[in-house]
Amino acid sequence: MHSPPFPRSLGTLIKALLVAAVVCVGSLSCRCASDKSTILRVNLFPYLPDAAGDNLKGMAARIKQEFEKQNPSVTLEVTLSKDNDFYDLANYKKWISNFDVIEPDTLFLADLVAPDELIEPWENVSEGEWQPPARVAAKVDGKVYAIPHWMCGYFLFSRDPKIAKAENLKDLVAILQATHGSVPEVAGNLFSSWDTPALYLDSWEDNHSPADPKQAISTSLDAETIQTLKEFSDQCNWEGKNPCLDKTYKDNTLAQTRFAKKEVETAFGFSESLFDILKASSGPSDHSIILSTLVLGKADHPLLFMDGFVMPKGRSKEVKAAAAAFVRYMQRPETYTWIVMSQDAPGAPGRYLTPATIGAFASEPIKSDPYYHAIQATITKGSNFPNSGLPELHTQMRDAIISELQRPK
């Protein structure tokens, strides 16, 4: 009897492998089940300090690397580009088919829900770790359509503790005038299609809280709010001009740079403006800078923006699961920490973005950072910008407000 060319066990193994190969070739995905990967395409909010000077490419690469390491069954495609205009509603209608997760400013949230139902609610979400204003901004008709990521509000940068302690505009103006020296009191951009109406709403909230700021979204302007906003605007006047109103500070980094070089007494902007200030100052160890809420009315009731993750309708079960995993990764305290502290760009100042979760503020070194103490204090007393109404009227409101601010006395 001749022996078979292969041992019986080896022959059986080869047959099994051939069968597996046929199954694999015949599958629609052209890959074996053990090698199957879900592709997740994300388009992230891009207006972040470019700490590494690489147009955020390094940040995007690190997000991809870390997420895929933690989620090996998902292939992540990250878009993080300042060339994408996140303040044009028409762009979202294009992105819906190209991305599985998008991170808009929730000013647009209601417009993404109705009337076209471009996005769908998130399922099985827990709001306990979200900052209170973010919980409100995330919902439309009681349903969560945005998972909070970043928050943002207007702050005043100064070097005088008395300025930082002002709890209303009247006191702020009195202190600014009392400390007047050989430089302008205030620098910042008041002429903007988005910032002008947003600062108006912030001032309205300082005057009328706890009333709903949504009722202030109108071209019929509130006289008291215009008066207080104009009083603040007048603090920018210098040598017969108002650079806050004549587009001198259209490039928002200019005001921060002048403050860093002590060419102006104060500057206003978002918390992440601190990155530009520290970059242009004597260094990240410049502890003379004080961060405080920008007061624009008779009390201190800040309004806060929120950026959140939304999911277009019609995604598969696998993509939805991958999207939920991605959101969890982005909300991890460890992820927040390396981004806000610029740990991807050694030697750079912190980005000082505002996390939308409570847990991020309990993570070191955020927990011990004095600037984050001030940011957290603002969140505690703040509420959210309306997530509907402003996109439609923001340009008309800008024009009406600027006309009033520029009106001669």
Side-chain angles (χ1 to χ4, degrees), residues 208-389:
H208 298 289
S209 179
D212 185 354
K214 186 177 179 181
Q215 62 186 285
I217 300 176
S218 170
T219 52
S220 298
L221 303 176
D222 176 64
E224 183 179 15
T225 301
I226 285 296
Q227 180 182 349
T228 54
L229 193 58
K230 184 171 178 56
E231 188 174 2
F232 175 73
S233 171
D234 287 345
Q235 306 311 304
C236 300
N237 289 334
W238 188 252
E239 297 180 346
K241 296 181 180 180
N242 189 326
C244 297
L245 288 176
D246 66 8
K247 301 185 182 181
T248 294
Y249 297 121
K250 186 176 181 180
D251 175 1
N252 289 316
T253 61
L254 178 59
Q256 320 312 335
T257 300
R258 288 185 174 176
F259 171 74
K261 295 180 179 180
K262 301 183 179 180
E263 296 173 358
V264 296
E265 192 166 340
T266 67
F268 64 92
F270 302 131
S271 62
E272 55 264 37
S273 299
L274 187 56
F275 170 86
D276 295 306
I277 293 171
L278 292 174
K279 184 177 179 181
S281 69
S282 57
S285 60
D286 185 354
H287 298 299
S288 67
I289 301 165
I290 305 173
L291 186 64
S292 59
T293 308
L294 178 63
V295 289
L296 295 171
K298 60 187 181 184
D300 183 5
H301 297 288
L303 284 178
L304 299 163
F305 301 96
M306 196 267 277
D307 306 327
F309 301 110
V310 303
M311 184 165 53
K313 292 187 68 175
R315 295 308 183 257
S316 69
K317 179 179 67 175
E318 293 78 14
V319 169
K320 288 182 179 181
F326 176 74
V327 168
R328 288 194 297 271
Y329 162 75
M330 294 300 289
Q331 286 190 324
R332 293 173 68 235
E334 297 86 351
T335 306
Y336 272 125
T337 297
W338 74 254
I339 293 177
V340 303
M341 290 302 180
S342 300
Q343 291 177 357
D344 57 316
R351 291 187 173 96
Y352 287 100
L353 298 154
T354 302
T357 66
I358 296 170
F361 285 85
S363 178
E364 294 289 3
I366 297 174
K367 181 179 179 180
S368 301
D369 190 293
Y371 294 124
Y372 272 110
H373 292 169
I375 293 170
Q376 189 172 28
T378 294
I379 295 174
T380 301
K381 59 189 173 185
S383 53
N384 63 294
F385 273 94
N387 60 19
S388 66

Side-chain angles (χ1 to χ4, degrees), residues 37-42 60-78 322 325-326 329-330 332:
S37 177
T38 298
I39 297 175
L40 183 70
R41 307 161 299 170
V42 302
R62 179 164 173 173
I63 289 172
K64 175 180 172 64
Q65 180 184 21
E66 286 191 353
F67 175 77
E68 289 183 346
K69 183 177 180 180
Q70 297 171 20
N71 300 271
S73 64
V74 181
T75 297
L76 182 66
E77 297 179 358
V78 181
F326 176 74
Y329 162 75
M330 294 300 289
R332 293 173 68 235

Side-chain angles (χ1 to χ4, degrees), residues 160 162-163 166-181 185-186 231-232 235 265 295:
D160 184 345
K162 291 181 291 184
I163 291 175
E167 296 181 351
N168 55 66
L169 182 60
K170 181 180 178 181
D171 290 347
L172 175 61
V173 170
I175 297 166
L176 285 172
Q177 294 299 323
T179 57
H180 176 74
E185 282 91 355
V186 178
E231 188 174 2
F232 175 73
Q235 306 311 304
E265 192 166 340
V295 289

